[in-house]
């Protein structure tokens, strides 16, 4: 594959009889971009990322470079696509370092020991895990475990990152560090990153574009700054929100009230 280019056309995906993605067509996405995948619970964000990762059968087309993702072999997929699921690594007796190293060895055996070690150490340093190297995965905190899962993907240095809520267990500092790292991979490494997020302010701060899903359909897409509007937020989430400018000149979203009658408890 020559570069990080992703083409999605008329994508559909079902679980049994239930259609959960329907007719999703997106503009071509290229390396250097970080795209927020947004939408309420159950909108289809994880399903979209899993489908792009080639993990689910689908209709329509998902092309990574000039190849259908379903046509990529396992080794090629692991080299090209870094998919990080919503759930952090399961507790186990493996040491954190063994966990990361065995995954990297399986994905990129051609790297050799020295380069594998260098990449893992770099990823651990960037994610503040150096002190946890020799701890069993089961002895890590939830946020440390989530960072460990992320380190495994970072160490592979793929062209395409698919991160499903990578900050859900992280504290304020590590939210900024983790998404800053991804922004850096896009800006300086030419990677393309799709990241499912619930925090719209993190999306506004780190991503350049967004894809907004609702009920498995594309509600809107575009540049985050100027493109994501209070009307879209209301339509997607049933929440009244304002977009204001903070003292540093950055846009900030303030959520005021739930407006969706179906999800507002009656008081009478
Ligand atoms: N393995 C599965 N089998 C059947 N239905 C599923 C499965 N996984 C997800 N779904 C359904 O598909 C729909 C989309 O789920 P998905 O996990 O993609 O949503 P999401 O936008 O990532 O949600 P959340 O914000 O809650 O993580 C939901 O209605 C969900 O119930």
């Amino acid at each position: 594959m020559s570069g990080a280019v992703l083409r999605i056309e008329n994508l559909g995906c079902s679980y049994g009889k239930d259609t959960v993605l329907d007719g999703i067509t997106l503009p071509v996405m290229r390396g250097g971009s970080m795209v927020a995948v947004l939408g309420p619970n159950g909108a289809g964000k994880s399903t979209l990322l899993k489908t792009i990762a080639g993990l689910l059968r689908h209709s329509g087309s998902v092309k990574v470079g000039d190849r259908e993702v379903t046509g990529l072999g396992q080794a090629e997929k692991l080299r090209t696509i870094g998919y990080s699921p919503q759930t952090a690594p399961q507790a186990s007796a493996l040491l954190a370092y063994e966990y990361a190293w065995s995954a990297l060895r399986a994905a990129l055996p051609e790297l050799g020991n020295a380069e594998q070690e260098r990449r893992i150490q770099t990823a651990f340093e960037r994610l503040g895990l150096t002190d946890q190297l020799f701890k069993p995965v089961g002895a890590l905190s939830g946020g440390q475990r989530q960072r460990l899962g992320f380190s495994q993907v970072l160490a592979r240095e793929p062209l395409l990152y698919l991160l499903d809520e990578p900050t859900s267990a992280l504290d304020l500092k590590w939210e900024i560090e983790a998404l800053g790292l991804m922004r850096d991979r896009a800006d300086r490494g030419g990677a393309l990153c799709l990241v499912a997020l619930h925090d719209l302010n993190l999306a506004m701060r780190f991503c350049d574009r967004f894809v907004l899903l609702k009920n498995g359909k594309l509600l809107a897409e575009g540049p985050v700054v100027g493109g994501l509007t209070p009307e879209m937020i209301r339509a997607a989430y049933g929440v009244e929100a304002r977009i204001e400018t903070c003292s540093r000149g950055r846009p900030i979203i303030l959520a005021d009230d739930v407006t969706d009658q179906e999800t507002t408890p009656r008081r009478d």
Side-chain angles (χ1 to χ4, degrees):
M1 212 193 89
S2 53
V5 181
L6 182 62
R7 292 181 175 84
I8 296 178
E9 281 176 28
N10 199 24
L11 176 63
C13 182
S14 304
Y15 293 109
K17 293 195 299 325
D18 297 332
T19 299
V20 291
L21 291 180
D22 187 15
I24 307 274
T25 296
L26 296 171
V28 177
M29 291 176 262
R30 296 180 190 279
S33 180
M34 199 162 155
V35 181
V37 179
L38 308 174
N41 289 143
K45 303 179 295 298
S46 297
T47 306
L48 177 65
L49 295 182
K50 283 182 199 161
T51 307
I52 298 169
L55 300 173
L56 296 176
R57 289 168 65 133
H58 62 267
S59 56
S61 171
V62 176
K63 278 190 179 167
V64 182
D66 55 4
R67 309 263 308 276
E68 284 291 340
V69 73
T70 43
L72 297 177
Q74 185 62 9
E76 203 172 354
K77 254 193 241 173
L78 284 171
R79 261 197 304 278
T80 313
I81 303 174
Y83 167 68
S84 178
Q86 196 169 0
T87 45
Q90 292 294 309
S92 83
L94 272 184
L95 304 181
Y97 184 78
E98 290 172 330
Y99 175 89
W101 195 34
S102 55
L104 186 58
R105 251 189 327 189
L108 300 174
E110 69 276 14
L111 282 184
N113 285 357
E115 176 62 10
Q116 285 165 356
E117 273 185 33
R118 188 196 67 75
R119 287 197 186 188
I120 290 167
Q121 291 209 352
T122 305
F124 273 42
E125 274 164 27
R126 296 295 303 268
L127 290 169
L129 289 169
T130 308
D131 290 348
Q132 321 299 329
L133 272 175
F134 301 111
K135 260 196 184 173
V137 176
L140 299 181
S141 75
Q144 288 167 342
R145 232 186 281 169
Q146 189 167 42
R147 279 185 266 151
L148 177 64
F150 187 31
S151 75
Q152 196 209 95
V153 173
L154 273 185
R156 297 214 315 260
E157 299 182 5
L159 291 171
L160 173 60
Y161 290 83
L162 304 169
L163 309 177
D164 198 346
E165 295 182 36
T167 56
S168 59
L170 302 190
D171 67 34
L172 196 54
K173 169 182 164 176
W174 288 108
E175 279 181 351
I176 294 171
E177 291 280 4
L179 292 179
L181 240 168
M182 258 352 297
R183 186 69 256 178
D184 195 52
R185 290 269 163 113
D187 288 343
R188 299 201 300 165
L192 170 62
C193 175
L194 273 66
V195 53
L197 288 170
H198 281 300
D199 186 326
L200 301 184
N201 283 309
L202 288 177
M204 294 275 266
R205 173 159 174 189
F206 290 100
C207 298
D208 44 282
R209 296 193 70 84
F210 74 95
V211 166
L212 180 59
L213 301 177
K214 187 172 187 189
N215 296 333
K217 293 194 194 286
L218 180 66
L219 197 63
E221 66 79 31
V224 275
V225 177
L228 185 60
T229 64
E231 291 71 30
M232 288 172 193
I233 295 170
R234 188 186 310 117
Y237 298 94
V239 166
E240 203 66 56
R242 285 169 286 147
I243 300 180
E244 307 218 332
T245 304
C246 79
S247 56
R248 289 192 172 182
R250 288 193 200 126
I252 182 162
I253 296 177
L254 300 166
D256 290 321
D257 297 301
V258 173
T259 60
D260 187 340
Q261 294 304 306
E262 286 175 17
T263 59
T264 306
R266 284 174 173 273
R267 287 170 196 275
D268 54 337

